[in-house]
Amino acid sequence: MTMQTFKVPSSEVPGYSAIYRNSLFKDGTHGGEFAHITTAYELFQHHLAIAPKSEFLGTRQFNPADGSFGAYEWLTTTEVAEYVDEFGSGLDHVFAKYAPDAKGYGTQQPLGMYANNRYEWTVAEFGAFRSRRYTVGICDSVDVESAEYVINNADLSIVVCSIDKIPRMFDRMSITPSLRVIICMDRLDCSRPNPVMQAFCAESAAALRKRAVELGITLLDMDEVLEMGRATPTTACPPTPSDICTMCYTSGTTGVNKGVLLTHQGLIHGSRSCHLSLRFSDTTHLSLIPLAHCMDRYATYTFMYGGVRVGFANGDRALIVNDIQELRPTVLVGFPLLLNGIYESMSK
């Protein structure tokens, strides 16, 4: 589907390009449709209202014995909402206890995110939104220096990450002084196997705990934070449209990393426009573009207006076609290099 954009008359001024709008919404508004949704957190509540019992976030079963992947296992929207509320409450306690003076943009605090695509990222992100915090993604594939740059530039005190990122962050603690807390997406008792856990065992995870103490870092896993939230729930303090939603950094491949702030209002305006233009409904989406960038999250937000289930890729780019065959997505979001790679795999 192609659509001609509309150039707003007399909108071009010296130093700035003209304003271009979707041709369906030439006046810059959406005619009041979905007017009750002004933030990403409200969009999540909308999805909960329209699809409470539907499959929402899916992860492929993993067999650690042979490294194979099976069918998708799903969390319903209601189950995800419970995790979001519990993690958000727990996060309130973690910030209050370990990083009460965490710096951020204005009165908001940032939460670092450092992992490949997985459902825990979505839970942690909406848990952050629950208390007006914004996320800062660190691309899973960047080198250690780029990750270190983002931590320092965004002044991150707390980072949620997969277990494989912990040793590399420990090795750079002397040059990332703002970092105080690491929340591991994986169970630190190694009781829930997954691909990134293969290089770890109960003993090596215990060694991470010990090293964290030596470095003066608080190391928790998500289950511990969830338990904090269950034990002592806090009251949600949702964001406003003008609040920052996320800070997105470039990968650094073309020079120094550059961070861009995106507000809830900006994200909602764009995702709503896309949904109203294309009218997605009951979408099945394969999440495979790194979540540290905005494209995949933007796609998920767009699909949430009409209901979506999001299946996460298993993390091995060579097996993307296998993920597609298992999930059978109704739409595939990608970029030329990725799509060319999928096409080549299917042509063999």
Side-chain angles (χ1 to χ4, degrees):
M1 180 177 181
T2 59
M3 187 173 293
Q4 184 85 25
T5 56
F6 170 70
K7 181 179 178 180
V8 178
S10 305
S11 61
E12 190 170 3
V13 297
Y16 294 88
S17 64
I19 296 172
Y20 288 86
R21 291 177 179 156
N22 187 308
S23 59
L24 295 179
F25 314 109
K26 294 181 179 180
D27 64 353
T29 68
H30 297 104
E33 195 162 2
F34 297 112
H36 64 292
I37 301 174
T38 63
T39 68
Y41 189 71
E42 290 175 342
L43 176 58
F44 178 72
Q45 298 303 319
H46 163 78
H47 192 265
L48 175 61
I50 66 170
K53 297 181 180 180
S54 298
E55 296 173 343
F56 183 25
L57 303 181
T59 304
R60 294 193 69 177
Q61 299 173 17
F62 176 69
N63 184 351
D66 60 8
S68 63
F69 294 90
Y72 275 89
E73 295 180 318
W74 294 92
L75 293 171
T76 66
T77 314
T78 296
E79 290 170 330
V80 173
E82 291 173 353
Y83 284 142
V84 165
D85 201 50
E86 292 166 353
F87 186 79
S89 291
L91 202 58
D92 288 342
H93 295 302
V94 172
F95 269 95
K97 183 175 181 178
Y98 302 109
D101 57 345
K103 300 176 182 178
Y105 187 85
T107 59
Q108 292 183 258
Q109 296 169 313
L111 180 69
M113 307 288 293
Y114 192 12
N116 62 356
N117 294 22
R118 49 192 296 178
Y119 85 85
E120 292 91 348
W121 181 301
T122 303
V123 169
E125 179 152 71
F126 281 108
F129 295 161
R130 180 184 179 276
S131 295
R132 293 189 63 232
R133 297 185 177 96
Y134 62 93
T135 57
V136 180
I138 304 171
C139 192
D140 180 62
S141 61
V142 300
D143 55 39
V144 175
E145 289 73 20
S146 292
E148 164 202 310
Y149 176 85
V150 173
I151 291 171
N152 286 332
N153 189 257
D155 217 359
L156 298 179
S157 296
I158 301 177
V159 171
V160 180
C161 68
S162 51
I163 194 170
D164 56 311
K165 306 300 184 294
I166 296 174
R168 67 178 70 174
M169 284 194 288
F170 279 172
D171 290 341
R172 313 291 284 190
M173 285 304 304
S174 62
I175 44 182
T176 52
S178 66
L179 187 59
R180 304 179 200 174
V181 181
I182 295 175
I183 301 174
C184 183
M185 293 180 177
D186 306 291
R187 285 185 176 175
L188 288 170
D189 62 5
C190 297
S191 62
R192 186 187 296 152
N194 61 48
V196 298
M197 292 290 296
Q198 286 186 295
F200 296 86
C201 61
E203 290 74 17
S204 58
L208 291 177
R209 295 265 199 191
K210 180 180 178 181
R211 192 174 180 200
V213 172
E214 294 170 348
L215 293 169
I217 289 291
T218 298
L219 177 60
L220 305 166
D221 63 29
M222 281 190 71
D223 278 26
E224 292 173 299
V225 178
L226 286 165
E227 184 53 41
M228 291 181 190
R230 293 187 195 107
T232 313
T234 63
T235 302
C237 180
T240 65
S242 60
D243 280 336
I244 299 301
C245 174
T246 192
M247 188 173 187
C248 184
Y249 280 83
T250 58
S251 62
T253 55
T254 58
V256 177
N257 302 70
K258 295 171 284 294
V260 177
L261 293 169
L262 178 64
T263 65
H264 283 269
Q265 184 176 28
L267 183 147
I268 289 301
H269 190 84
S271 60
R272 182 168 51 207
S273 295
C274 189
H275 170 72
L276 292 176
S277 299
L278 302 175
R279 297 289 178 176
F280 293 103
S281 179
D282 297 324
T283 304
T284 297
H285 169 53
L286 177 61
S287 175
L288 51 84
I289 303 173
L291 288 170
H293 303 312
C294 282
M295 187 174 181
D296 200 281
R297 284 182 282 164
Y298 183 88
T300 296
Y301 295 151
T302 298
F303 302 145
M304 283 172 68
Y305 286 91
V308 64
R309 62 177 194 156
V310 182
F312 292 89
N314 65 57
D316 187 342
R317 283 293 178 93
L319 298 177
I320 289 177
V321 173
N322 186 262
D323 289 330
I324 294 172
Q325 291 171 332
E326 181 63 37
L327 183 65
R328 298 180 180 273
T330 57
V331 61
L332 193 61
V333 179
F335 47 86
L337 182 62
L338 174 63
L339 297 177
N340 285 341
I342 293 173
Y343 176 77
E344 290 172 2
S345 297
M346 295 177 68
S347 300
K348 291 180 180 179

